[in-house]
Amino acid sequence: MSLQNDIMEGIKTAMKAKDTVALESLRAVKSALLLAQTETGANGEMTSEDEIKLLQRLVKQRKDSANIYIQQGRQDLADPELEQAAVIEKFLPAQLSEEEVEAVVKKIIADNGFSGMGDMGKVMGVASKELAGSADGKTISNAVKKALA
């Protein structure tokens, strides 16, 4: 529940500062949190892992939208998406750099004796669990491909 409190404080701060980008972003996070808590099968509580996954999904959606807008030559639409992604990322744990992710992946490969692209799925499974919340799936996937190639 601390994430919800942090989001509410962020909303209050954004309202006082008249920061429309932050306000819109935080309201979207609040809405997504409420939907996730009330969806079928949910018990009304979210673990911190679930909250991190939700925030990562929201950031990814915005970055993907921005990439599509940029491909279509609409920088005016991409900029607000990237700004919202930056606001939401502030609530995520610190992300590891690509070099740090590669080091962790190499250690996983060495510890478990994986070799070759045939083991990519196994490496991804272990790496995704170990790096959950501290790196996105695309970065992990690129590091695994690079290490196994």
Side-chain angles (χ1 to χ4, degrees):
M1 284 299 191
S2 63
L3 178 64
Q4 282 189 329
N5 293 336
D6 292 345
I7 297 295
M8 289 305 297
E9 288 301 315
I11 288 174
K12 289 177 189 175
T13 304
M15 286 176 140
K16 289 177 184 175
K18 296 185 182 356
D19 184 350
T20 56
V21 173
L23 187 59
E24 186 177 333
S25 305
L26 296 174
R27 283 182 173 161
V29 172
K30 181 181 173 190
S31 173
L33 283 170
L34 289 172
L35 283 171
Q37 288 175 344
T38 57
E39 69 185 10
T40 306
N43 61 0
E45 292 294 321
M46 291 182 70
T47 65
S48 61
E49 291 175 4
D50 292 337
E51 292 172 342
I52 289 171
K53 286 179 185 175
L54 179 86
L55 290 176
Q56 286 177 325
R57 187 173 70 235
L58 293 173
V59 169
K60 184 179 184 315
Q61 287 173 347
R62 277 153 183 78
K63 287 184 177 180
D64 289 347
S65 295
N67 286 335
I68 291 169
Y69 290 140
I70 289 170
Q71 289 171 359
Q72 296 175 347
R74 296 295 310 265
Q75 191 65 40
D76 59 318
L77 295 175
D79 290 339
E81 294 289 336
L82 294 172
E83 290 171 5
Q84 286 187 14
V87 170
I88 297 169
E89 283 177 335
K90 292 177 186 175
F91 293 93
L92 285 170
Q95 299 291 297
L96 296 175
S97 69
E98 287 186 35
E99 294 79 23
E100 292 170 322
V101 172
E102 287 175 11
V104 171
V105 168
K106 287 177 183 174
K107 182 180 182 308
I108 290 169
I109 291 170
D111 290 348
N112 295 304
F114 296 128
S115 64
M117 290 304 286
D119 288 333
M120 182 167 175
K122 295 175 188 173
V123 177
M124 280 298 296
V126 175
S128 295
K129 286 180 184 174
E130 191 167 321
L131 296 170
S134 57
D136 68 333
K138 188 174 184 180
T139 305
I140 296 170
S141 175
N142 290 339
V144 170
K145 286 177 188 171
K146 186 175 177 181
L148 290 175

